[in-house]
Amino acid sequence: MSRSELADAVNAALDRIYAGRNITAHYVDFRWVGKLERGEHRWPSEARRAALRHVLGVDIDADLDLYSPRRTDRKYVADEVAKLRPGSWDETIHLLHEQWHLLVQNDKMFGPEYALMGVTGQLKAIHGLLREVPQERKPSLIRLAAQYAESAAWLNQSLNDPSAGHRWTQQALAWAAQIGEPTMTAWATYRSSQQWLTSGHAAQAVEQAEAALLYDRKLPGPMRAALRVQHAHALAAMGKHHAAMRLLDDAHRWAADRQPGKPEGEHGTYCTSGYIEVHRGACLRLAQRPEEAIAVLDDALQKIPPRHRQDFASALLNKAAAHAAASQPDLAAATAHQALPIARRAGSRRILHQLTRLGAAVSGHQQLSDVRAFLDDLKEAP
C-alpha cells in the first residue's frame, strides 16, 4: 500500500469510526505517513491510532509497531496487553482475536470438526456482542466477526460441506463490506473463488480471483501470494496454462517463507514456496503434462512444513492424480495410500472424498498389489 493509499484508508476509517462527529482535524496525508515511517511521529492521537488499528487489522496499540526497536520488544507488547482494563472492550476484542489464533492451531492439531465447534461458539458470542459494542469499537468487532465467518467457511469446506462453506463466505463478505475492510473482503472473495473451482465452475472462480486481486496492493505479502496461486489454478482449469505459470512465478515474490516473523495462522501464512509449487504441479497436470507435474510435486513435498498436514495430504493427492494421468495406476495407488492416513488424522473429509474418487479411477487395476492395498484400506472407516 502506498503512502497516499494508506492516508486515504486512515481518513475513510476515521469517518466510519467517528460517524456524525467532526473529525477533520485528525485527517492525514501522505506526508504524515512518511513522518510516521521515519519515526518523526512517535504516538499519534487516539483517533488516528484507532483508524490505524482498523486499517491494519490489529487489536491493540502495541501491534502498530510505532516505537523504536528498543521499546517494541516482546516485553513491551506483553506489558501493553497486561494494561488492557479487565472487562473493557479492548480486552474483549483482543481475547477474541487470540482465541481465533488458537482455533487455527486446533484445526492443524485436531482437525476441522473440532475447530469448528469453537469457531461456531465464538460466532454466537460475537453476534451478541455486536448489539452492545460502542460505536467506536464496532468496526474492530465486525472485522473480527468476518474473520471468524471466513474460518467457518474454510472449516466446512474441509469437512466437505460446500453449502455451509458458501453461506459462511457470504456472511464474511457482508460483514467486511459493512465496514469497507479490504483485507477481509479480499480473503472472503478468495475463499469464494476456491469454492467455485471445487464445484467445477472455473470461469466463476477466475472472476472471483480477479475481484480479490483488486485489493492486491493493500494486502500483506503472503495473501498476495495466495491470491495469485488461486487465480493461476482457476486459469489452468480454463486451459490458460501460460498465464497460470506466469502467475505462479510471480507468487514466489510474496511467499510466506520469504517473510519470516509473521504470526502463524494469519491469512496466507500457509502459502509457502512449497505450497505454490504444489499448485504448479496441479496446473501442469491440468495442462496434460503429468510427468512434469510429478517431478515438481516430488520436490514440493520436501518443502511443506510438517504441521501442515492437510497441505501435505493434498500434495500427495495431486501427485497420485498425476500418476493416474500418466497411466501409472500402481504408483497412483501407492501415493494415494500414503495420503490416506494423513488425511484421516487431519480430519479432512474433502481430501478423503477426493481419495475415494481416485480409488474409483484406479479400481480397474486390482490385479496390481498397490491398487488392491489402497482399495482395501479405503473401505475401512475413516
Side-chain angles (χ1 to χ4, degrees), residues 176-351:
Q178 189 176 335
I179 56 172
E181 213 288 321
T183 303
M184 284 312 307
T185 300
W187 201 242
T189 306
Y190 159 86
R191 187 67 65 207
S192 177
S193 176
Q194 277 193 334
Q195 291 162 352
W196 280 115
L197 186 60
T198 300
S199 63
H201 296 85
Q204 290 89 336
V206 169
E207 180 182 318
Q208 290 293 286
E210 290 174 348
L213 280 164
L214 293 176
Y215 301 93
D216 185 49
R217 294 185 64 185
K218 299 180 180 180
L219 305 176
M223 284 185 66
R224 299 178 78 174
L227 264 56
R228 283 161 172 75
V229 168
Q230 176 58 23
H231 192 197
H233 202 156
L235 286 171
M238 290 187 69
K240 299 181 179 180
H241 304 298
H242 293 300
M245 292 300 154
R246 286 196 300 271
L247 274 167
L248 292 169
D249 290 341
D250 191 39
H252 276 285
R253 296 166 56 200
W254 314 107
D257 46 358
R258 288 179 175 268
Q259 304 194 24
K262 296 294 180 183
E264 176 70 15
E266 289 292 355
H267 297 304
T269 52
Y270 60 82
C271 193
T272 61
S273 298
Y275 180 90
I276 293 167
E277 290 306 294
V278 168
H279 281 265
R280 189 186 301 276
C283 291
L284 286 166
R285 178 172 55 81
L286 289 171
Q288 299 182 7
R289 295 157 61 184
E291 291 85 1
E292 292 175 66
I294 292 164
V296 166
L297 288 161
D298 268 332
D299 185 56
L301 280 161
Q302 311 304 315
K303 300 175 183 176
I304 298 173
R307 291 185 66 191
H308 294 196
R309 291 187 294 185
Q310 287 195 54
D311 290 341
F312 196 79
S314 182
L316 286 169
L317 172 65
N318 271 291
K319 184 169 179 281
H323 281 300
S327 301
Q328 299 168 343
D330 52 341
L331 293 174
T335 307
H337 205 175
Q338 280 182 268
L340 190 56
I342 302 169
R344 283 172 173 162
R345 285 196 297 274
S348 177
R349 295 179 195 162
R350 174 182 58 89
I351 296 175

Side-chain angles (χ1 to χ4, degrees), residues 104-176:
V104 169
Q105 299 309 313
N106 283 343
D107 178 30
K108 288 186 173 68
M109 293 174 66
F110 306 116
E113 190 167 18
Y114 181 87
L116 185 59
M117 291 189 290
V119 168
T120 303
Q122 296 295 72
L123 279 163
K124 288 179 182 177
I126 291 170
H127 268 292
L129 292 171
L130 284 170
R131 295 192 290 269
E132 307 169 16
V133 67
Q135 187 62 33
E136 66 270 16
R137 300 304 282 132
K138 195 166 189 176
S140 294
L141 190 59
I142 291 174
R143 186 195 186 283
L144 197 56
Q147 193 166 337
Y148 269 97
E150 189 279 326
S151 290
W154 160 247
L155 293 169
N156 277 290
Q157 192 174 318
S158 294
L159 292 169
N160 205 36
D161 189 344
S163 59
H166 177 73
R167 285 196 306 274
W168 279 115
T169 297
Q170 294 308 305
Q171 179 62 75
L173 282 167
W175 271 322

